[in-house]
Amino acid sequence: MLPHQFFKLLSDETRLRSLLLIAREGALCVCELTQALQESQPKISRHLAQMRQSGILVDERRGQWVYYHISTDLPGWAKKIVDGLRDSNCLKEQYQQDIQRLVHIGDTPCA
């Protein structure tokens, strides 16, 4: 993946917010992201598919749920950017509501 492709993918706020939550939590399923971001399941799924197809995310089936996590095959420069975004205090403040909604979901959001 080239830098312009990476940044183009992250230029969409839904994809960026999803990536930030996944980077923070390690892995999330579609239903957790739909609740945290307050977006529809088809919209979240479409954005996750784009990031999966680009190699930013990988999916893993756990029972009937599919969880997404950041690919270990990301180039080093992209991993540093994702880590920097995840660790940014100003972004935590900006997207605090997403984090709070995710915390309030509990352990079984999809049940």
Side-chain angles (χ1 to χ4, degrees):
M1 172 188 321
L2 296 173
H4 73 278
Q5 296 165 320
F6 181 78
F7 289 114
K8 185 175 181 178
L9 278 165
L10 296 187
S11 69
D12 180 89
E13 186 178 18
T14 301
R15 287 191 293 269
L16 177 62
R17 289 168 64 199
S18 297
L19 184 66
L20 287 171
L21 288 174
I22 292 168
R24 183 178 181 275
E25 298 298 319
L28 291 171
C29 68
V30 174
C31 53
E32 290 169 317
L33 288 165
T34 60
Q35 291 182 29
L37 301 179
Q38 295 185 323
E39 297 286 355
S40 70
Q41 182 273 327
K43 180 177 182 178
I44 296 294
S45 292
R46 183 177 65 249
H47 286 294
L48 292 172
Q50 287 176 309
M51 289 192 287
R52 189 188 72 241
Q53 290 166 353
S54 72
I56 294 175
L57 297 178
V58 292
D59 59 352
E60 171 189 354
R61 183 165 290 281
R62 297 182 194 168
Q64 66 184 30
W65 309 117
V66 177
Y67 284 81
Y68 292 84
H69 57 89
I70 296 173
S71 173
T72 57
D73 294 335
L74 270 183
W77 60 265
K79 178 72 172 133
K80 287 180 183 178
I81 291 168
V82 171
D83 291 346
L85 291 169
R86 180 198 63 217
D87 297 338
S88 168
N89 285 329
C90 64
L91 287 178
K92 285 179 187 170
E93 292 174 18
Q94 181 71 28
Y95 297 113
Q96 186 62 38
Q97 289 181 342
D98 295 346
I99 295 167
Q100 289 302 315
R101 283 189 294 268
L102 188 60
V103 168
H104 287 32
I105 291 171
D107 292 333
T108 56
C110 306

